[in-house]
Amino acid sequence: MPAFPRLVRLFTPVAALLLVACGGSPAPAPTADAEAAADPGELNLYTTREPGLIQPLLDAFTAQTGTRVNTVFVRDGLLERVRAEGERSPADVLMTVDTGNLLDLVDAGQTRPVQSQVLADAIPAHLRGADGQWFALSLRDRILYADKDLALDGFTYEQLADPKWKGKVCIRSGQHPYNTSLIAAMIAHHGAEATETWLRGVKANLARKAAGGDRDVARDILAGICEIGIANAYYVGRMKNEAEGSEQRQWGDAIQVIRPTFAIDGGGTHVNISGAAVALHSPNRDNAVKLLEYLVSDEAQSLYAKANYEYPVKAGVELDPVVASFGPMQVDALPLARIAEHRRQASELVDRVGFDN
């Protein structure tokens, strides 16, 4: 038996758990020729996604195709890991969240292009790399959590800076990738100067220091600390599906959900993504493409919606009932890559206005 396949098997569950426990610290690099790892019956996935979220999709893929997925869960340092492994890396698919993380992999030369009509047909053009280097697999829309007793008929992101909300807004750190992505989108729509004015207005409206997580926004609305806040939609699905009487169920039941839009450029709701790319040195490239194509199938997209409460990238897929209750979503049409160009500028702006202070 070739040495490398034995090594690959070391990356299966036990090693994966060790990686999670160690925060994704790089394991010893493979020591055999990567070409020897090609196996028609398996592939190797490096992912930053939580095991409980992605495993049902991988199990379904294996059941349908017979192809085993050896999964390495990398909490941090995905780019550093594959770069350190170099051409001997066993990674076939690199999966993560946030457009910026995917583009970092692309910019570092750690991905290879894929031309697939299946992927092109399923994923709108503004949600994938034009050169086939990366693909969105699910959407994570940034929405408004609001006190359920508030009378609101629509909302724009720009309205977060309206003085009428002074002392009534809760949100997590401006430096969190979810928020730097939103601020970057605001820069792409309005320019840096107008966005700085807007961000200073949002800060002036904060009910508490920008901190905590998205679910804390719902918690603090229930506690009467704030009336509105910005957070990701899928957390609502999780909270509302918790057991009756649990804390998180109470948080979820305390809020109403509105999908904000930008006030210009035709409107649209800001989304971030989970996504994936084929690794530069993929030894099982055909299987890697097969997995990506499966993940945009109706079956997998429905699993994304029902297991993770994320929004499918493919049109026409049945939504989870909680997500469906938010109403139709018009996604901001700006290409994600264009938004990602402003990430650094957005981060610098957060510091300049002292948003997290």
Side-chain angles (χ1 to χ4, degrees):
M1 179 182 293
F4 191 77
R6 288 199 299 272
L7 180 61
V8 168
R9 289 183 178 89
L10 291 177
F11 284 109
T12 52
V14 173
L17 291 173
L18 287 173
L19 275 168
V20 170
C22 295
S25 299
T31 56
D33 189 337
E35 290 300 321
D39 185 324
E42 67 180 26
L43 66 90
N44 307 308
L45 169 68
Y46 283 16
T47 179
T48 64
R49 303 227 58 187
E50 295 177 24
L53 297 181
I54 194 64
Q55 196 60 51
L57 289 150
L58 303 179
D59 291 344
F61 169 73
T62 299
Q64 184 180 105
T65 65
T67 302
R68 184 173 67 249
V69 181
N70 306 312
T71 308
V72 177
F73 295 104
V74 184
R75 184 181 299 166
D76 300 304
L78 175 61
L79 171 58
E80 290 75 13
R81 181 183 174 89
V82 292
R83 187 153 49 190
E85 292 175 347
E87 64 181 11
R88 300 192 175 206
S89 174
D92 294 301
V93 174
L94 307 174
M95 178 185 292
T96 187
V97 296
D98 189 79
T99 315
N101 289 332
L102 278 169
L103 292 178
D104 285 346
L105 290 165
V106 174
D107 292 343
Q110 295 301 320
T111 61
R112 60 193 296 182
V114 171
Q115 300 302 321
S116 163
Q117 195 59 48
V118 173
L119 294 171
D121 289 344
I123 307 172
H126 65 288
L127 299 177
R128 51 184 162 86
D131 50 4
Q133 296 277 9
W134 60 272
F135 301 91
L137 300 173
S138 65
L139 303 180
R140 303 145 71 90
D141 41 323
R142 203 95 180 115
I143 61 172
L144 185 79
Y145 293 5
D147 188 304
K148 65 181 180 183
D149 294 326
L150 277 179
L152 291 173
D153 183 17
F155 201 86
T156 66
Y157 295 107
E158 289 84 350
Q159 286 178 293
L160 285 170
D162 189 323
K164 71 177 284 186
W165 298 111
K166 188 172 182 60
K168 299 177 180 177
V169 176
C170 286
I171 196 167
R172 71 192 309 165
S173 166
Q175 290 293 6
H176 191 279
Y178 295 162
N179 283 336
T180 52
S181 178
L182 173 62
I183 297 165
M186 189 67 73
I187 293 172
H189 280 294
H190 291 282
E193 184 176 347
T195 300
E196 180 171 346
T197 300
W198 170 78
L199 195 59
R200 290 186 185 281
V202 179
K203 177 175 171 55
N205 286 345
L206 293 181
R208 58 161 170 75
K209 183 176 180 178
D214 280 5
R215 277 172 282 205
D216 293 340
V217 173
R219 180 199 64 190
D220 290 347
I221 289 174
L222 174 63
I225 295 171
C226 43
E227 294 186 6
I228 61 172
I230 292 292
N232 279 353
Y234 66 90
Y235 287 113
V236 182
R238 293 186 191 179
M239 290 188 288
K240 285 184 175 292
N241 281 285
E242 290 289 342
E244 287 277 3
S246 65
E247 275 194 333
Q248 292 202 30
R249 180 63 177 267
Q250 293 177 50
W251 302 346
D253 289 343
I255 61 172
Q256 60 176 311
V257 166
I258 293 176
R259 283 202 172 99
T261 59
F262 289 102
I264 62 171
D265 299 336
T269 297
H270 174 68
V271 300
N272 212 313
I273 62 168
S274 73
V278 173
L280 174 64
H281 302 294
S282 167
N284 303 291
R285 183 181 178 280
D286 289 347
N287 287 344
V289 175
K290 192 191 305 181
L291 175 62
L292 294 186
E293 291 180 343
Y294 170 75
L295 291 175
V296 297
S297 67
D298 287 351
E299 177 184 78
Q301 288 287 290
S302 179
L303 282 173
Y304 267 115
K306 293 175 181 174
N308 299 352
Y309 310 109
E310 294 176 328
Y311 207 94
V313 294
K314 187 175 186 179
V317 174
E318 184 179 0
L319 301 174
D320 171 82
V322 172
V323 177
S325 72
F326 303 159
M329 180 165 70
Q330 178 186 347
V331 177
D332 181 19
L334 273 181
L336 294 178
R338 186 175 159 198
I339 294 172
E341 291 173 359
H342 297 285
R343 282 184 304 149
R344 179 187 296 273
Q345 200 176 9
S347 176
E348 293 171 351
L349 194 55
V350 169
D351 285 344
R352 186 156 63 244
V353 306
F355 192 80
D356 291 349
N357 298 338

